[in-house]
Amino acid sequence: MSGAIDSQNALLPSAGFSVSHQKVELDIDLLARRLKGRTEIVINPHSKEFRSVRLNCRQCEIKRITANGRACPNFVYEEPYSKATLPWDAGVHQHHMLRKKIEAQLKTPPEEELVINLPKSVRIDDLDPFSIEASAVAGARSSVGLKDDNVGELQSARTAIEPDRRYTPVTVVIEFATSQIRDGMQFVGWEDDDLRYPHAYTKSFAAPGGACCLFPCVDNSTARCTWEICIKSPKTVGDAVSLPQPCAINGLGGLTNGVHKEPELFQSSMNAEDSALELAVICTGDLTDEVDDHVALGKKTSIFSCGIPLSAQQIGFAIGPFEHVNLAEFREGVEDDKLGQNAVPLHGFCLPGRVEEVRNTCLLMAKAIDFFTLEYGSYPFSNYKLCFVDDAFPESVHTGFLTICSNNLLFPADVIEPLERVSRQMVHALASQWMGVSVIPKEPNDTWVVVGIAYFMTDAFLRKLFGKNDYGYRQKQAADLVVDLDVGRPSIYDTGPLVGLDPFEAEFLELKAPLVLSILDRRFTKTGSTSGLSRIISRVFLNAKVGDLANGAISTSYFARMCEKLGHAKLESFFAQWVYGAGCPRFQVTQKFNKKKNVVDLLITQKQSEQSERDLEKETFMRDVKEEEHSVYAGPLQPVFTGPMTICIHEADGSPYEHLIEIKEAQTRVEILYNTKYKRLKRSKRQKERIATAGGVEYNPDGNDDVLLYCLGDVLQSEEEMQQWQLAEWPKETEDEMNQEAYEWIRVDSNFEWICRTTMSMPGYMFLSQLQQDKDVVAQLESVQFMANQKEHPLISTILLRTLMDTRYFHGIRTTAAAALVKHAKEGDMGWLGLFHLEKAFQHFFCYDASPIPQPNDFSDRAAYVIKCAIPRTVAKVRDARGRSPIRARMFLLDKLKFNDNSDNEFSDSHYLSTLMEALAEAMASKPPPGQEMDADFSFDENDGDDIRFHNACLEELDRYRRTDEWLPSYHNILSRTALNCTRILSSAGVIDNNPSHLIQYSRDGTADGLRINAFSNLFQMGLAKNDAVLRWFLFALATDQSPYFREHAFRLLGQILGSYAIGQRSDSSTTHEHDGLIIEQEEASTETRKADLARRTTVHGALAALKDELQANEALKRALWTAIASPVLSFAELRQLLDICRLLYGAETKMVVKLRYPRYWRCRRVVGKAKLHFSTTDRVRTRPMPKRALLPPPPTSTPNPLPSPSSSSAGTKIKKEDSGGSESMPPPPPMARKPLFKPLRRPSEGEHGSAKPSPVRETPAAAASEGEKPKLKIKLKIGPKPGLGEGK
């Protein structure tokens, strides 16, 4: 995890240059996944002594570099991916050695891989400050933030910047090639067994190190310049697979990796129509030209130009058979007239067959871009493009002009479930073009400004689209979640550098930052600034457009100054508490009416959220480990949160009176003047109405001084309805107490200006009045939350039921009320009243009269659809005294699943069926809490119909929908995924047999990514993580799968696996036995064991120690992890995660294991009939050294023949004897006998050679000399012509 949170400098002073323009030319071979290219970088030196250029470059082979047309042979470059392995047989204990080799690439930002030393012939001279070139250089330096306020920060650099001087630019041209693209681009559908439409696109470049995988550049978010991008690609899919594949490395036409992929094999899987599909290039910038290549037939070159400075990380493109959708056609004519020439062109691109899904998903994009243009200023680019691709992660990648989106975001018109989630994500992608691409954070700590403004803009549009109730409901839910999460956490200012540490850090920032801006906006509007924060945001965009915001980089201090200047308020305390500080306040409010003074006394006590010891969870275990290792501490806890607060008192006349107070201390006591002289008579008036209606007399309110407001929840009021629905009413004593109250209710922070949690000491009937009479959805939600926390009572169940039945309430309030009814669904005194109310409500809305059989589905009313899903989820949680779901609840769920009818519904019921399936499985798997005795865990009561037939009917119904989904796939295979979840739930509870093979078949390669991840997740939740075979298969899939979406979710799942090992299973420390009425408690563990168990569940160090004990001896895991690390598919970010896991589990051992092969025995075989001997090695190895062989004595010889006289023949032999040792007793050498041409083979007898075996070891001269010095013989042969042949001539 080293380098994961290092600060990223806006400008590296040691670089000594800036880039004004870069041109990139890429020739991409889609089938072979390689490219060759050329980039031209215009560099502006910052000093005359500038002599070297440092660039980021990965997975490229540099062919040629020139500077101003002169060759630069003196460059330093080492491809970093080639260092991502250890060249010996290493293991997980050598993880630190591998990390050290790639440490430079794991930093943030990473070190530059390419260093170009300029030749001496390249001179850097001064420019005329009034020339056009000098103006261009000044503009380029301004684009990277080299304003006067930046100069002072950089004077300490080794190469000082001289802001008043301009130097001649240097144009560096680099020719490069990539033989195998490992990172930076994703290729989909180019494999033989992949039947998807083939396409390719750039991955997310949010972190440094991604853009330089495709071309050399300055891979820094603050290094921005103008661009020209030329992409050469095949014209059609058929051209991509049929073009000759020349070698992109050496130009010899050979294969670079020895693997040949026959184009005809790939073409055999597609028809002529698919081969004719035209490949479109979608890229950042404006398409200026598209020309056919006259040299390479079947190819074309698309040229894009971007005159707005962008960083290399904001460049993206996609190539594929995309179909075009004109999203501007959804713009209304009135909006066209308002915008005129400012109307932005909108384009959507998708794979064939998904045009209608794009139209449905992007229906609101034209309205959104027009809203942003009118509210916050003109769009920063000339057009906006959306391109939908497969396997993308994250689901939306923000680049200039273009957003690359995942196909997982697309949904057809008959699916309504993902509407809110996808709409918010799509609108945020559009808002990021303003804040995130055009305007960027100056420092990592300023990330909260960019994230907060982008989501603030998104929520502002969604409030207009979905309404104020939806906006307020989601804001309140987000605020409650922030209060729970923001305990012991750093501030949002300090969270910016932690975004790359864990996904939770970014999620928390996306949650809290827009909330902080929303409460700031309400404070502005409260003080009289009608435009609020929108005016400030539009001014920021205007300053960035005209160049007042240097490099388009915004800082926290700049944003605070703009807010103070345009908001006319001092905001030091606000930013100190909510931006630089951490935590959220909790208020305890008590009130009392003082009749003598006619005032309401309020005591507001503030308490901060203090960090308490919490148990570790497997889902967040890896985040806790990373934060512990990087010393991520809690931000400064505010002693007191100060600021204005609005108190709203609804007095007896029904009018709300707002009072503004200032919170300055931990305890604030205020006296609020009471205004109304009326008494509280509304309850008695409703009673009079009810009595008159029951008597058949029309109640006439004329002549009465009662004050009555229009009330929500005023349903089921007649006596007959109260009897049918078993409703309860307030007792007389409580009504008398209610009539004596001077006001209806009091709300603290009624304008939602605080992110806090408030506890009011009001009686319940005041919360009921707030629920029924306050139109604010936040006030209604607070009331329902209060009711949900009360003890079970028939009156509370009645209030919640009426809230559920009143269709005038926002559907979020109704679903919250339905979920709260589960607390009142108990036997005994309650008599299953809450369950009865749930069943009765569902029967009233969705079933035939007096029948439990549901009516055919009709999802045209979205609120009714949400309620129809909420009630079964609540029924599944009902439990009896033994902890089991009652039979009536299970029969209710089975009937709704069995008799579901969607034949006349225009919308899909897949999500509704998924809800019913999970609810039924959860009810079936219910069992008593640990320690309670019962007859049997799953005994059946045949008298109630709970027999084995009902049990089997439930299982058959669940399996029926699983089989149906295999033939008619649902949206994202949601039914199959739900069926796997149900299998895990039931098998874990012992309802069905634990058969993991059923889930393993869904984990195979080729299965949809979402279904595959779901299968692995359920396998590990069933305890299969301890199975070495399953764990090896999972790690193999993680390391070899080509989908970034699958790998990302697999890494998160791996973290949960380690968390389950580290935390372990919770168990009681003692076991209780009962024997003849005597209770015996037996301690199961010693004190040390209990302490260790407590430490592993509450502390990171204890959990890590337990994790090492569990896994450090697992050899199968060691081999699987190291095999995954050696995978050629993983990026550096993924490789770092695996190395971090190895560091957590295993100690570092600096060693190199050298393996030497044992010598093997040889075998000799005679080849019959060919006069050959065949020698071969055997499997038998020799582990002991062979003894030295002594030389055999020379065989006895006869007296040698006398040598011929030199004069007897013209051709003779001269023998010269040399005695190196001076010995004269050396016997003469044996005669050189001629060997026969053919010698019969025979096996040597034991007498000739003894019992010694032949040795392949040859005796060395040194060994021979050790026995004594022997004379050396030099034999010289002189061969002349044979006698008689020469004479005859």
Side-chain angles (χ1 to χ4, degrees):
M1 285 167 276
S2 176
I5 58 173
D6 295 344
S7 298
Q8 178 178 345
N9 299 324
L11 179 68
L12 297 178
S14 59
F17 70 93
S18 59
V19 178
S20 60
H21 180 76
Q22 182 166 356
K23 179 179 180 181
V24 178
E25 300 176 3
L26 300 177
D27 184 358
I28 303 176
D29 188 341
L30 297 172
L31 185 60
R33 300 189 181 190
R34 58 193 179 199
L35 63 83
K36 55 183 178 181
R38 178 181 179 272
T39 182
E40 182 179 314
I41 307 175
V42 180
I43 292 175
N44 300 316
H46 294 165
S47 68
K48 217 169 185 180
E49 292 74 22
F50 172 73
R51 301 310 302 170
S52 64
V53 181
R54 305 178 67 91
L55 299 175
N56 299 102
C57 182
R58 296 183 181 179
Q59 69 182 11
C60 298
E61 180 181 351
I62 305 300
K63 296 296 185 180
R64 186 168 178 265
I65 299 178
T66 61
N68 289 346
R70 295 173 175 83
C72 299
N74 297 326
F75 64 89
V76 180
Y77 174 69
E78 184 178 3
E79 204 284 303
Y81 277 109
S82 62
K83 302 185 296 182
T85 57
L86 295 179
W88 66 86
D89 190 10
V92 291
H93 293 282
Q94 287 75 53
H95 57 82
H96 64 294
M97 303 176 71
L98 179 58
R99 175 185 287 274
K100 186 176 181 180
K101 293 184 64 177
I102 59 175
E103 188 68 29
Q105 280 65 46
L106 300 183
K107 296 180 180 179
T108 303
E111 295 181 2
E112 297 83 357
E113 295 85 3
L114 177 60
V115 180
I116 305 172
N117 298 314
L118 300 181
K120 296 181 179 180
S121 56
V122 176
R123 297 183 57 185
I124 298 177
D125 300 325
D126 293 319
L127 281 178
D128 183 2
F130 301 102
S131 63
I132 299 177
E133 293 81 0
S135 301
V137 171
R141 297 179 65 175
S142 174
S143 69
V144 294
L146 293 178
K147 294 279 186 177
D148 293 337
D149 55 351
N150 300 98
V151 175
E153 302 175 3
L154 304 178
Q155 289 299 326
S156 60
R158 182 178 58 188
T159 305
I161 298 174
E162 304 175 34
D164 298 332
R165 303 182 66 179
R166 307 289 184 263
Y167 303 97
T168 54
V170 178
T171 301
V172 177
V173 179
I174 305 173
E175 297 178 6
F176 59 93
T178 302
S179 60
Q180 187 67 29
I181 299 178
R182 175 173 177 172
D183 197 7
M185 281 192 70
Q186 178 66 21
F187 296 83
V188 181
W190 298 99
E191 300 292 337
D192 295 337
D193 56 349
D194 195 344
L195 301 181
R196 294 176 293 180
Y197 285 103
H199 58 285
Y201 56 91
T202 54
K203 296 181 183 179
S204 173
F205 296 154
C212 62
C213 292
L214 298 181
F215 50 86
C217 61
V218 180
D219 202 345
N220 193 310
S221 61
T222 58
R224 313 179 92 182
C225 65
T226 57
W227 294 81
E228 182 180 354
I229 304 171
C230 305
I231 299 177
K232 181 183 291 188
S233 64
K235 292 182 181 179
T236 64
V237 175
D239 293 334
V241 299
S242 62
L243 288 174
Q245 308 295 325
C247 179
I249 300 300
N250 51 22
L252 300 177
L255 297 173
T256 59
N257 55 5
V259 179
H260 183 60
K261 190 174 195 178
E262 296 291 343
E264 57 271 11
L265 295 180
F266 185 78
Q267 284 182 312
S268 62
S269 62
M270 64 176 63
N271 52 33
E273 183 179 356
D274 293 338
S275 299
L277 291 174
E278 184 177 355
L279 292 178
V281 180
I282 318 299
C283 182
T284 296
D286 296 307
L287 179 63
T288 58
D289 199 2
E290 188 172 87
V291 295
D292 294 339
D293 196 318
H294 300 290
V295 178
L297 300 179
K299 283 194 172 186
K300 64 179 180 181
T301 301
S302 303
I303 304 174
F304 297 86
S305 176
C306 177
I308 300 175
L310 295 175
S311 66
Q313 301 172 6
Q314 296 170 340
I315 302 297
F317 60 86
I319 306 173
F322 299 116
E323 296 183 356
H324 176 255
V325 181
N326 184 15
L327 300 178
E329 65 184 13
F330 297 108
R331 183 178 286 123
E332 299 177 358
V334 179
E335 295 174 346
D336 262 340
D337 296 338
K338 286 183 180 180
L339 295 171
Q341 295 181 353
N342 291 328
V344 182
L346 282 171
H347 308 281
F349 299 91
C350 64
L351 297 173
R354 314 202 71 166
V355 171
E356 293 303 322
E357 294 182 11
V358 172
R359 292 178 180 273
N360 181 72
T361 305
C362 302
L363 183 65
L364 49 81
M365 297 304 291
K367 185 180 291 294
I369 199 169
D370 294 342
F371 172 82
F372 289 155
T373 301
L374 295 174
E375 188 75 12
Y376 303 108
S378 60
Y379 180 66
F381 306 108
S382 58
N383 60 75
Y384 181 56
K385 294 169 279 192
L386 289 160
C387 186
F388 293 88
V389 296
D390 287 331
D391 296 345
F393 188 87
E395 292 186 333
S396 57
V397 178
H398 313 304
T399 64
F401 295 77
L402 169 67
T403 300
I404 300 177
C405 303
S406 171
N407 278 332
N408 292 333
L409 296 177
L410 296 176
F411 62 97
D414 62 344
V415 176
I416 60 177
E417 183 73 20
L419 177 63
E420 287 91 351
R421 176 183 62 84
V422 173
S423 297
R424 189 170 192 262
Q425 196 161 351
M426 298 301 298
V427 175
H428 174 258
L430 176 60
S432 297
Q433 294 292 312
W434 273 271
M435 182 61 68
V437 177
S438 178
V439 179
I440 60 176
K442 185 176 182 180
E443 298 288 343
N445 294 89
D446 305 318
T447 304
W448 78 271
V449 182
V450 174
V451 173
I453 292 179
Y455 276 102
F456 179 85
M457 296 169 59
T458 302
D459 293 336
F461 172 73
L462 294 181
R463 176 175 53 187
K464 179 182 178 181
L465 184 68
F466 294 138
K468 293 182 179 180
N469 283 342
D470 181 87
Y471 173 78
Y473 178 76
R474 297 186 184 280
Q475 289 284 99
K476 175 59 177 175
Q477 284 187 321
D480 292 342
L481 185 58
V482 167
V483 173
D484 293 333
L485 295 178
D486 197 5
V487 179
R489 298 221 29 94
S491 64
I492 58 175
Y493 180 80
D494 294 328
T495 304
L498 307 176
V499 169
L501 186 63
D502 188 81
F504 173 80
E505 312 296 341
E507 294 169 2
F508 179 78
L509 198 62
E510 294 169 359
L511 182 67
K512 185 176 180 180
L515 277 177
V516 172
L517 294 182
S518 66
I519 65 175
L520 179 62
D521 177 65
R522 291 186 182 93
R523 295 192 181 185
F524 281 147
T525 55
K526 190 70 177 180
T527 57
S529 179
T530 55
S531 58
L533 197 60
S534 300
R535 178 189 175 193
I536 300 172
I537 296 175
S538 61
R539 177 63 65 88
V540 170
F541 294 146
L542 178 62
N543 292 347
K545 189 173 183 179
V546 300
D548 290 343
L549 193 62
N551 198 29
I554 189 171
S555 64
T556 302
S557 58
Y558 176 87
F559 180 69
R561 290 196 303 268
M562 292 292 295
C563 291
E564 290 182 343
K565 179 180 179 181
L566 300 179
H568 308 289
K570 295 295 183 181
L571 299 174
E572 292 91 348
S573 62
F574 179 88
F575 277 83
Q577 297 169 19
W578 298 104
V579 177
Y580 300 106
C584 297
R586 299 172 186 262
F587 294 106
Q588 178 71 37
V589 182
T590 58
Q591 77 285 340
K592 182 180 179 182
F593 181 69
N594 191 331
K595 294 183 180 180
K596 181 182 293 187
K597 295 183 179 181
N598 199 30
V599 296
V600 178
D601 292 330
L602 282 180
L603 178 62
I604 303 176
T605 304
Q606 181 179 162
K607 183 180 180 181
Q608 309 306 327
S609 302
E610 297 180 357
Q611 185 176 7
S612 58
E613 194 74 20
R614 64 178 179 88
D615 289 346
L616 299 177
E617 299 177 358
K618 65 177 184 179
E619 290 79 9
T620 60
F621 170 72
M622 289 304 297
R623 170 171 65 90
D624 294 332
V625 171
K626 295 174 183 178
E627 290 181 348
E628 181 73 18
E629 291 191 347
H630 286 89
S631 303
V632 178
Y633 299 115
L637 190 64
Q638 302 297 317
V640 176
F641 280 82
T642 61
M645 178 179 287
T646 303
I647 308 296
C648 183
I649 301 179
H650 289 254
E651 300 185 5
D653 63 348
S655 301
Y657 292 89
E658 291 189 349
H659 306 272
L660 187 64
I661 65 174
E662 191 74 21
I663 303 295
K664 296 181 179 179
E665 299 176 353
Q667 281 192 348
T668 303
R669 188 181 298 273
V670 294
E671 294 183 350
I672 300 177
L673 183 65
Y674 191 74
N675 301 283
T676 305
K677 299 180 180 180
Y678 297 98
K679 294 183 179 180
R680 192 177 190 277
L681 300 174
K682 290 185 285 299
R683 172 61 57 179
S684 61
K685 184 171 183 180
R686 274 200 299 276
Q687 286 181 333
K688 295 177 183 178
E689 285 183 335
R690 190 183 306 117
I691 295 173
T693 303
V697 180
E698 183 178 357
Y699 174 70
N700 184 14
D702 296 338
N704 295 281
D705 57 352
D706 298 342
V707 179
L708 179 66
L709 293 177
Y710 177 76
C711 295
L712 295 171
D714 242 355
V715 296
L716 305 178
Q717 294 287 341
S718 66
E719 296 295 336
E720 180 182 0
E721 290 174 332
M722 293 188 66
Q723 292 178 2
Q724 290 179 353
W725 291 78
Q726 301 181 16
L727 304 181
E729 193 53 80
W730 293 99
K732 186 177 183 304
E733 296 79 5
T734 306
E735 288 194 352
D736 294 340
E737 185 180 351
M738 293 163 57
N739 294 332
Q740 300 300 320
E741 295 289 349
Y743 49 86
E744 292 289 331
W745 72 92
I746 298 177
R747 280 194 66 198
V748 176
D749 188 27
S750 58
N751 288 338
F752 203 172
E753 303 170 62
W754 292 70
I755 306 174
C756 63
R757 179 162 294 163
T758 305
T759 303
M760 297 288 297
S761 61
M762 293 190 307
Y765 50 78
M766 288 191 176
F767 280 101
L768 175 61
S769 299
Q770 176 176 315
L771 174 63
Q772 292 180 338
Q773 299 177 35
D774 202 322
K775 297 180 181 180
D776 188 2
V777 69
V778 177
Q780 298 170 5
L781 183 58
E782 290 175 348
S783 299
V784 175
Q785 290 174 345
F786 171 83
M787 298 295 178
N789 293 327
Q790 302 306 304
K791 188 179 179 181
E792 60 271 10
H793 193 277
L795 183 58
I796 304 296
S797 183
T798 299
I799 296 173
L800 295 174
L801 174 65
R802 284 174 172 164
T803 304
L804 172 62
M805 298 299 295
D806 195 343
T807 57
R808 294 170 296 178
Y809 280 109
F810 177 65
H811 63 78
I813 304 299
R814 298 172 65 193
T815 56
T816 307
L821 277 171
V822 68
K823 193 172 185 178
H824 308 274
K826 294 183 178 180
E827 55 185 345
D829 295 339
M830 292 298 297
W832 300 113
L833 182 60
L835 179 58
F836 170 76
H837 285 164
L838 289 169
E839 293 174 336
K840 190 74 173 176
F842 193 93
Q843 193 274 335
H844 174 79
F845 285 123
F846 310 112
C847 296
Y848 292 103
D849 294 338
S851 173
I853 305 301
Q855 296 178 352
N857 295 330
D858 182 11
F859 297 158
S860 57
D861 185 354
R862 181 171 180 80
Y865 165 77
V866 174
I867 300 301
K868 194 171 186 178
C869 293
I871 293 178
R873 277 196 294 263
T874 307
V875 171
K877 294 179 172 61
V878 176
R879 298 291 183 268
D880 59 14
R882 298 179 301 171
R884 293 192 59 191
S885 174
I887 181 60
R888 59 186 288 191
R890 284 176 280 157
M891 293 185 67
F892 170 85
L893 296 172
L894 178 61
D895 289 341
K896 303 308 174 284
L897 185 63
K898 186 175 182 180
F899 298 105
N900 177 70
D901 183 6
N902 204 58
S903 57
D904 297 332
N905 189 16
E906 61 176 330
F907 298 100
S908 170
D909 64 343
S910 57
H911 286 85
Y912 173 63
L913 288 174
S914 172
T915 302
L916 292 177
M917 292 170 65
E918 285 195 349
L920 180 58
E922 183 180 354
M924 292 178 63
S926 61
K927 60 181 180 181
Q932 292 189 8
E933 294 185 8
M934 58 184 306
D935 300 337
D937 288 347
F938 295 99
S939 59
F940 300 105
D941 188 356
E942 297 184 0
N943 297 328
D944 294 337
D946 190 7
D947 53 12
I948 194 67
R949 289 175 297 178
F950 172 78
H951 176 76
N952 292 335
C954 294
L955 298 180
E956 175 61 29
E957 202 64 29
L958 294 174
D959 194 61
R960 179 171 70 90
Y961 284 103
R962 180 191 63 82
R963 297 193 306 267
T964 303
D965 195 53
E966 293 180 354
W967 292 98
L968 298 174
S970 57
Y971 175 74
H972 288 179
N973 303 104
I974 185 172
L975 293 183
S976 294
R977 292 158 61 183
T978 305
L980 297 185
N981 294 338
C982 295
T983 301
R984 183 252 309 165
I985 293 173
L986 296 176
S987 61
S988 299
V991 179
I992 61 176
D993 294 334
N994 192 345
N995 185 12
S997 61
H998 177 68
L999 278 73
I1000 290 179
Q1001 64 178 341
Y1002 289 94
S1003 67
R1004 295 178 299 180
D1005 191 14
T1007 310
D1009 288 343
L1011 186 57
R1012 196 178 182 198
I1013 286 291
N1014 183 272
F1016 276 120
S1017 177
N1018 284 299
L1019 281 171
F1020 295 136
Q1021 292 185 58
M1022 293 168 60
L1024 268 296
K1026 296 184 178 181
N1027 187 300
D1028 292 343
V1030 176
L1031 192 57
R1032 286 198 307 269
W1033 164 235
F1034 171 71
L1035 290 174
F1036 174 80
L1038 178 146
T1040 59
D1041 197 281
Q1042 297 290 337
S1043 171
Y1045 176 86
F1046 175 84
R1047 294 202 303 271
E1048 175 63 27
H1049 286 82
F1051 271 106
R1052 297 185 183 185
L1053 188 56
L1054 179 59
Q1056 296 179 17
I1057 295 172
L1058 297 178
S1060 62
Y1061 272 106
I1063 300 171
Q1065 298 293 332
R1066 300 182 181 180
S1067 59
D1068 297 334
S1069 59
S1070 61
T1071 304
T1072 303
H1073 303 281
E1074 184 174 355
H1075 179 69
D1076 295 334
L1078 179 64
I1079 298 177
I1080 303 174
E1081 293 187 358
Q1082 179 181 358
E1083 294 290 334
E1084 289 187 351
S1086 62
T1087 304
E1088 291 75 12
T1089 305
R1090 291 197 302 270
K1091 288 182 179 180
D1093 183 67
L1094 179 63
R1096 74 184 301 181
R1097 288 188 285 109
T1098 57
T1099 64
V1100 174
H1101 295 290
L1104 288 177
L1107 180 63
K1108 290 182 179 179
D1109 293 340
E1110 292 278 350
L1111 297 178
Q1112 65 180 354
N1114 192 329
E1115 296 297 331
L1117 177 61
K1118 291 182 180 181
R1119 292 191 296 268
L1121 268 178
W1122 196 251
T1123 303
I1125 289 175
S1127 171
V1129 176
L1130 302 180
S1131 63
F1132 275 128
E1134 296 166 333
L1135 184 60
R1136 176 171 55 192
Q1137 295 187 56
L1138 291 179
L1139 291 176
D1140 291 339
I1141 293 174
C1142 291
R1143 184 166 53 85
L1144 294 177
L1145 297 179
Y1146 311 108
E1149 297 179 4
T1150 305
K1151 66 179 182 180
M1152 178 187 297
V1153 179
V1154 180
K1155 290 186 176 181
L1156 300 177
R1157 294 188 60 185
Y1158 281 121
R1160 297 178 180 271
Y1161 287 99
W1162 287 75
R1163 177 191 298 114
C1164 178
R1165 182 174 59 87
R1166 177 185 177 187
V1167 181
V1168 181
K1170 294 187 178 180
K1172 292 182 179 180
L1173 296 179
H1174 183 268
F1175 292 90
S1176 61
T1177 58
T1178 64
D1179 294 335
R1180 181 186 173 194
V1181 296
R1182 181 167 57 82
T1183 58
R1184 297 180 180 179
M1186 294 292 293
K1188 292 183 178 181
R1189 304 300 186 188
L1191 289 178
L1192 296 177
T1197 58
S1198 58
T1199 303
N1201 298 325
L1203 293 178
S1205 174
S1207 59
S1208 62
S1209 174
S1210 61
T1213 302
K1214 297 182 179 179
I1215 301 179
K1216 183 179 179 181
K1217 179 179 179 180
E1218 295 183 0
D1219 188 359
S1220 59
S1223 176
E1224 299 180 358
S1225 60
M1226 180 65 63
M1232 297 192 309
R1234 179 175 297 179
K1235 296 182 179 180
L1237 184 60
F1238 298 101
K1239 185 176 181 181
L1241 296 177
R1242 64 183 181 88
R1243 187 181 301 273
S1245 62
E1246 295 182 358
E1248 293 179 332
H1249 300 286
S1251 60
K1253 297 181 180 180
S1255 172
V1257 181
R1258 173 177 291 180
E1259 295 288 344
T1260 61
S1266 63
E1267 299 180 359
E1269 296 295 339
K1270 298 182 180 180
K1272 297 181 180 179
L1273 295 179
K1274 290 186 179 181
I1275 304 175
K1276 299 181 180 180
L1277 300 178
K1278 183 177 180 182
I1279 302 175
K1282 293 184 179 181
L1285 293 179
E1287 298 176 355
K1289 289 185 180 182

